[in-house]
Amino acid sequence: MKVVLISTPGERPNEVATVESLFAAGLERYHLRKPGWKSAQVALWLESLPARWRDRIVLHAHAHLAPCFRVGGIHFRDDGEAPEDPALGVTPGCLTSRSCHDLAAVKAALGRYDSIFFSPVFATLSKPGYGPAPGHVLDELRAVLAARGSAEKRTKVFALGGVTAQGLPVCRTLGFDGVAILGAVWNAADPIAAFLQFQSASQRLEHKSV
């Protein structure tokens, strides 16, 4: 299963250095989500990250910075503003992703976006009291994911919300292609070690499925 990491929403000491180490350890995508930040703050963060890593960054805001820093992707919120055709107006070569909180949004995004986050799957670690999704919703989602055609399978579906390394087998059973993590890594005493646990658990699942 694929593993992507979402940033904490505010300032974090040594974040860029930690992200560099995570990329070196195998992290493929880092979602830079700083909802309170202005464009200049995001630009400064990107400037501090060596250029060789920037194509692994997915911006959650200030998409106009994408061509300047040659980031890897743009993410859209589930707020009614996510475009039906995300390729329009997006920098060529940028991956597109969006958040989804219900089945209607998932069905509308399949085959159009490169990836989507569905949440919350479990009780979240970063937002106490939020989630998880009702069991019948997850059962319906599993049926939708299992019925995807070839065009819809181009959209990778990630589980978000309370995902732990131990929960990866459940996510696989539900039909997710990967997981998006936040609290399980950033709340850990050693974020890099926490990510490596996910990476190892993901690799074990891949070996079992071969």
Side-chain angles (χ1 to χ4, degrees), residues 31-166:
H31 283 249
L32 189 62
R33 178 184 174 275
K34 304 289 187 181
W37 282 20
K38 296 181 179 179
S39 176
Q41 291 174 285
V42 174
L44 185 62
W45 193 101
L46 291 170
E47 285 175 358
S48 65
L49 181 71
R52 69 180 182 277
W53 298 124
R54 292 176 191 164
D55 63 354
R56 300 193 189 191
I57 299 294
V58 178
L59 294 179
H60 279 229
H62 309 299
H64 65 280
L65 296 174
C68 305
F69 292 96
R70 298 184 180 181
V71 301
I74 301 296
H75 185 89
F76 297 89
R77 296 176 58 194
D78 188 18
D79 57 2
E81 299 298 323
E84 182 176 341
D85 186 350
L88 297 177
V90 172
T91 303
C94 267
L95 298 176
T96 59
S97 64
R98 65 158 292 180
S99 298
C100 296
H101 296 93
D102 56 53
L103 293 177
V106 170
K107 292 176 182 178
L110 289 176
R112 296 180 181 275
Y113 286 77
D114 293 297
S115 64
I116 57 178
F117 293 171
F118 181 83
S119 67
V121 176
F122 307 109
T124 66
L125 301 175
S126 58
K127 297 179 181 179
Y130 178 56
H136 71 276
V137 171
L138 293 179
D139 287 340
E140 292 176 23
L141 176 64
R142 174 164 44 191
V144 169
L145 297 182
R148 282 181 290 176
S150 57
E152 293 175 327
K153 284 184 178 178
R154 70 169 288 271
T155 302
K156 302 305 178 186
V157 183
F158 290 79
L160 171 63
V163 178
T164 63
Q166 293 73 26

Side-chain angles (χ1 to χ4, degrees), residues 168-191:
L168 290 187
V170 176
C171 295
R172 167 60 67 84
T173 299
L174 289 170
F176 287 104
D177 302 300
V179 296
I181 51 179
L182 197 168
V185 165
W186 292 121
N187 291 346
D190 185 340

